[in-house]
């Protein structure tokens, strides 16, 4: 599994039995990248059979609790598992204060370095590059400073530029806006929040969120391969409603549940 997404949490702010809050893990050639870290992220990672110590970097979209309340516990657990390798954490500037607090009160016995990288993107801007993946951040339109992330595989001897290199974009939380289509254009898989069904469009607008139809329209306009829905409101217990609204607009739509695994393949063009 060279480029694989696991949805750890698909709930929004209110707790729902069977749904953790926002978190995902992207595996790229065995390296793990955690995207957001809501409550119960540790349990979800363990249930998925993934390793705490193999997480190479964490990308936080914004500081609402359902996207970050699981971070302190995860950082502590990494220490208890004997992690020694440096951990990079990316996110809005205010996240630095939270990490500083954690280090002051709970970091004394950690045997690994936490390296914070402030994200301040005005467009689609590269923030991380490794042998296998390039990560870019882009601004979203939410109540507070919020960023999405795009992951593009990097060419290698095994997978040259002539191959189709997989790509993935994460957009949560946000009101719909035109520039988002440009930021996620052409990705193989797009995760787009769909907090509300279309009948609650007024609530979505007032809270700077998107509906299922908003997500589907973005996917269609951006020409993505697959749309994954999530961040469901606790008011919407039947996620089938989201699919019923999305698929007439964008047929390749899927309503994720916690623990789903999506493989994004490398495809040779030779």
């Amino acid at each position: 599994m060279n480029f694989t997404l696991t949805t750890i949490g698909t709930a929004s702010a209110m707790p729902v039995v069977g749904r953790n809050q926002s978190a995902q893990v992207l595996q790229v050639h065995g390296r793990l990248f955690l995207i957001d870290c809501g409550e119960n992220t540790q349990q979800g990672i363990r249930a998925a059979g993934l390793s705490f110590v193999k997480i190479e970097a964490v990308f936080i979209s914004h500081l609402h609790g359902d996207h970050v309340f699981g971070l302190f516990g995860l950082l502590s657990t990494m220490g208890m598992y004997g992690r020694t390798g440096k951990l990079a954490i990316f996110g809005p500037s205010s996240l630095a204060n939270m990490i500083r607090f954690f280090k002051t009160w709970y970091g004394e016995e950690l045997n690994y370095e936490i390296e914070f990288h402030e994200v301040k993107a005005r467009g689609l801007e590269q923030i991380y590059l490794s042998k296998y993946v390039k990560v870019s951040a882009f601004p979203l339109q939410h109540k507070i400073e919020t960023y999405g992330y795009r992951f593009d595989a990097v060419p290698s001897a095994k997978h040259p530029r002539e191959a189709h290199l997989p790509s993935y974009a994460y957009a949560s939380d946000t009101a719909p806006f035109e520039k988002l289509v440009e930021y996620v254009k052409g990705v193989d898989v797009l995760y787009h929040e769909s907090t509300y069904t279309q009948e609650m469009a007024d609530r979505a607008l007032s809270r700077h969120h998107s509906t299922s139809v908003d997500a589907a329209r973005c996917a269609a306009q951006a020409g993505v391969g697959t749309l994954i829905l999530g961040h469901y409101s606790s008011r919407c217990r039947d996620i089938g409603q989201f699919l019923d609204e999305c698929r007439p607009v964008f047929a390749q739509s899927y309503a994720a549940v916690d623990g789903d695994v999506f493989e994004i393949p490398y495809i040779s063009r030779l």
Side-chain angles (χ1 to χ4, degrees), residues 139-261:
L140 296 174
Q141 292 194 2
H142 195 40
K143 292 181 179 180
I144 62 174
E145 185 180 11
T146 305
Y147 297 99
Y149 297 102
R150 176 170 174 153
F151 298 77
D152 290 279
V154 172
S156 65
K158 186 176 180 181
H159 302 291
R161 293 185 185 277
E162 290 76 16
H164 173 78
L165 301 175
S167 55
Y168 170 67
Y170 176 87
S172 182
D173 303 2
T174 186
F177 64 105
E178 289 184 9
K179 276 286 188 179
L180 181 55
V181 172
E182 176 184 325
Y183 301 148
V184 303
K185 195 168 189 64
V187 297
D188 292 292
V189 176
L190 167 65
Y191 171 87
H192 193 304
E193 70 127 300
S194 57
T195 306
Y196 298 106
T197 54
Q198 193 62 17
E199 66 181 358
M200 289 185 271
D202 289 346
R203 181 180 291 271
L205 181 64
S206 67
R207 299 191 176 188
H208 298 86
H209 278 293
S210 295
T211 67
S212 52
V213 172
D214 292 328
R217 286 172 178 159
C218 179
Q221 292 167 11
V224 309
T226 298
L227 170 65
I228 299 174
L229 308 173
H231 198 265
Y232 312 116
S233 169
S234 59
R235 295 170 178 266
C236 304
R237 299 303 177 98
D238 178 13
I239 63 174
Q241 297 176 66
F242 296 95
L243 280 184
D244 290 343
E245 293 183 350
C246 277
R247 285 186 168 166
V249 180
F250 188 77
Q252 294 299 314
S253 297
Y254 295 88
V257 299
D258 292 14
D260 274 352
V261 177

Side-chain angles (χ1 to χ4, degrees), residues 8-107:
I8 301 298
T10 58
S12 55
M14 295 297 290
V16 175
V17 174
R19 287 185 204 160
N20 296 330
Q21 293 180 326
S22 291
Q24 301 183 355
V25 173
L26 184 69
Q27 296 186 64
V28 183
H29 292 276
R31 281 79 174 171
L32 305 186
F33 300 92
L34 177 65
I35 313 166
D36 277 340
C37 192
E39 286 185 81
N40 286 330
T41 293
Q42 293 186 80
Q43 294 282 16
I45 290 173
R46 173 165 283 179
L50 301 174
S51 169
F52 296 111
V53 297
K54 288 185 178 180
I55 295 173
E56 194 165 297
V58 179
F59 299 88
I60 299 296
S61 62
H62 64 297
L63 298 193
H64 281 161
D66 55 321
H67 294 259
V68 77
F69 278 167
L71 186 58
F72 282 13
L74 178 66
L75 296 177
S76 294
T77 298
M78 287 178 172
M80 289 188 284
Y81 268 82
R83 183 189 182 103
T84 57
K86 179 172 65 177
L87 177 70
I89 301 179
F90 295 80
S93 59
S94 298
L95 183 58
N97 294 329
M98 294 180 63
I99 294 173
R100 192 176 301 115
F101 173 87
F102 172 81
K103 287 180 175 179
T104 299
W105 288 95
Y106 307 108

Side-chain angles (χ1 to χ4, degrees), residues 83-130:
R83 183 189 182 103
T84 57
K86 179 172 65 177
L87 177 70
I89 301 179
F90 295 80
S93 59
S94 298
L95 183 58
N97 294 329
M98 294 180 63
I99 294 173
R100 192 176 301 115
F101 173 87
F102 172 81
K103 287 180 175 179
T104 299
W105 288 95
Y106 307 108
E108 184 175 338
E109 296 183 3
L110 296 184
N111 292 317
Y112 69 94
E113 179 185 354
I114 299 172
E115 183 178 83
F116 175 68
H117 299 266
E118 178 184 351
V119 176
K120 196 70 178 176
R122 295 184 178 180
L124 186 65
E125 298 180 15
Q126 179 180 313
I127 59 170
Y128 178 91
L129 180 66
S130 74

